[in-house]
């Protein structure tokens, strides 16, 4: 399982938007334009787009400080705690465009277990929709992409999973507009169940939908 963090496991977009809006105000930037870049992009890419003339390390550091102040209050998406607990003993990773330090703070604030594998902004050279992050996570877990499933909430993430050749389950309201590109979609994790062994995994979603491993039965 390859799981995005913001908007998938944790309701952190308000915290992200608060931090970016504060940064935009300090720099005299159009807030709406900055917030339009918020979903699925690394902080450094937002800086490079909005203020290419400024020192990117300084700007990323400022945004990080602002986000740390606000991310301690994030909450888990409904059912995410049970979903993460059910992943114990199974290969899974968090794949996020956020920084590792902030991602760990969000997981702690939301009371969610931390996986052994986290692919964060520092680990890749290109943001979603590039496939690098998901390919790296699958490789780190030594799992073929054919046996992976991505959970994502944003168009950039959907495109990233598709470019990596990995099935994608859309989470949240935006997914309803991309159903043709997704293997399935869920509102949150309350209706999701997992069954089967580690070698033969099957996700059971609300409404009786199930997604088997591509390996099939042995």
């Amino acid at each position: 399982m390859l799981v995005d963090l913001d908007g998938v496991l944790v309701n952190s977009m308000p915290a992200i938007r608060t931090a970016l809006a504060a940064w935009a105000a300090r720099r005299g930037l159009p807030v709406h334009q900055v917030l339009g870049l918020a979903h699925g992009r690394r902080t450094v890419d937002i800086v490079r787009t909005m203020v290419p003339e400024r020192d990117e390390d300084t700007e990323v550091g400022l945004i990080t400080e602002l986000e740390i102040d606000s991310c301690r209050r994030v909450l888990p998406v409904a059912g995410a705690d049970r979903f993460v607990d059910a992943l114990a003993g199974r290969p899974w990773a968090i794949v996020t465009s956020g920084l590792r330090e902030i991602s760990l703070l969000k997981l702690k604030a939301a009371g969610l277990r931390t996986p052994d594998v986290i692919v964060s902004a520092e680990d890749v050279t290109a943001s979603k929709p590039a496939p690098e992050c998901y390919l790296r996570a699958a490789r780190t877990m030594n799992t073929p992409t054919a046996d992976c499933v991505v959970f994502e909430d944003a168009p950039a993430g959907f495109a990233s999973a598709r470019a990596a050749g990995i099935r994608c389950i859309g989470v949240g309201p935006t997914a309803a507009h991309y159903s043709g590109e997704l293997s399935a979609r869920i509102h949150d994790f309350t209706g999701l169940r997992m069954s089967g062994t580690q070698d033969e995994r099957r996700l059971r979603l609300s409404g009786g939908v199930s997604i088997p491993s591509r390996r099939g039965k042995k």
Side-chain angles (χ1 to χ4, degrees), residues 152-182:
E152 265 284 0
D153 72 314
F158 304 154
S160 177
R162 185 169 63 252
I166 302 175
R167 292 164 296 166
C168 184
I169 296 175
V171 182
T174 301
H177 303 290
Y178 294 84
S179 57
E181 303 175 19
L182 303 170

Side-chain angles (χ1 to χ4, degrees), residues 70-167:
S70 57
C71 77
R72 301 181 192 278
R73 297 181 294 277
V74 302
L75 298 172
V77 168
D81 51 348
R82 292 189 296 276
F83 172 65
V84 168
D85 287 346
L87 290 174
R90 301 171 184 261
W92 77 288
I94 284 176
V95 183
T96 177
S97 297
L99 296 170
R100 181 177 298 269
E101 175 188 6
I102 292 178
S103 298
L104 291 172
L105 285 174
K106 290 173 182 175
L107 288 168
K108 182 178 180 179
L112 299 177
R113 294 175 183 266
T114 301
D116 291 334
V117 177
I118 297 178
V119 175
S120 58
E122 300 95 325
D123 300 316
V124 298
T125 58
S127 289
K128 302 168 185 176
E132 180 184 357
C133 56
Y134 284 116
L135 292 174
R136 183 183 182 95
R139 186 168 60 249
T140 301
M141 295 193 309
N142 196 29
T143 302
T145 55
D147 292 330
C148 293
V149 176
V150 164
F151 287 82
E152 265 284 0
D153 72 314
F158 304 154
S160 177
R162 185 169 63 252
I166 302 175
R167 292 164 296 166

Side-chain angles (χ1 to χ4, degrees), residues 182-197:
L182 303 170
S183 296
R185 58 186 177 86
I186 56 176
H187 180 68
D188 53 37
F189 291 95
T190 55
L192 188 146
R193 300 290 183 271
M194 284 188 295
S195 63
T197 66

Side-chain angles (χ1 to χ4, degrees), residues 147 197-200 213 215-218:
D147 292 330
T197 66
Q198 185 167 317
D199 289 330
E200 185 185 343
S213 166
R215 292 179 184 179
K217 295 182 178 181
K218 295 186 177 181

